[in-house]
Amino acid sequence: NAGVTQTPKFQVLKTGQSMTLQCAQDMNHEYMSWYRQDPGMGLRLIHYSVGAGITDQGEVPNGYNVSRSTTEDFPLRLLSAAPSQTSVYFCASSPNREGVEKLFFGSGTQLSVL
Amino acid sequence: AQSVTQLDSHVSVSEGTPVLLRCNYSSSYSPSLFWYVQHPNKGLQLLLKYTSAATLVKGINGFEAEFKKSETSFHLTKPSAHMSDAAEYFCVVRGTGRRALTFGSGTRLQVQP
């Protein structure tokens, strides 16, 4: 069982570059989300989706875009990377569309913006 | 808005001794609370959850947590630490919209042999 798959695992960008972090899940979960993890700050929600075609902003959405064209995929786009976006990014899914409880996490993407 | 505060950023215990990781929450209503664990270079995993049933909640790997409304606390405990328990632990509260989880800043547990 693959679960939640994130690619790439590591990425280095220059300021101003754009890129897409990929996330796919094979559990038929309707709920998917993106978090960033920074030292001493826990995980902060960037965007989430409760189904194909439906997305919403989380706590720190600025500088990021998402789309949900299929149940399986939930890519995160950085439009113009900034050093403040250096972080570890986690994608997570849940079988519960409402009342999110158990999140299934990917293994993370470590992003450095120079 | 809901929030959680983890009172210790680092906790160090000896193998075989009790573990206590402290979490206080702030909520205007009866919250849903969770503990997640993150082992090095891994994603997070749900340890246990409280959703207004029994106040003493048992989780995986011998961990348990007690919801105390009067103290607005949800501390995580384990009677006897094992080396494999070394990880980062996050106290989490579910938002009013029930679609988002808010994570605490984390407590890194170190287990000494």
Side-chain angles (χ1 to χ4, degrees), chain A residues 31 35 37 40-43 45 48 50 56 59 90 97-108, chain B residues 32 34 36 38 41-46 49 51 88 90 94 97-106:
Chain A
Y31 182 96
Y35 285 85
Q37 183 177 23
M41 302 187 73
L43 276 74
L45 181 65
Y48 67 94
V50 296
D56 207 346
E59 182 184 355
F90 287 98
R97 174 183 177 138
E98 304 290 341
V100 175
E101 293 185 355
K102 184 171 184 177
L103 286 172
F104 292 77
F105 281 83
S107 57
Chain B
S32 293
F34 312 84
Y36 275 76
Q38 182 182 28
N41 300 313
K42 296 288 180 63
L44 284 75
Q45 179 186 17
L46 179 64
K49 66 179 182 182
T51 54
E88 187 146 22
F90 294 93
R94 187 166 66 195
R98 295 169 55 84
R99 292 178 169 182
L101 299 181
T102 299
F103 286 73
S105 55

Side-chain angles (χ1 to χ4, degrees), chain A residues 11 13-21 77-81:
Chain A
Q11 183 70 49
L13 293 177
K14 294 181 179 179
T15 297
Q17 286 185 315
S18 63
M19 80 157 295
T20 299
L21 306 185
R77 297 182 186 84
L78 281 70
L79 306 174
S80 177

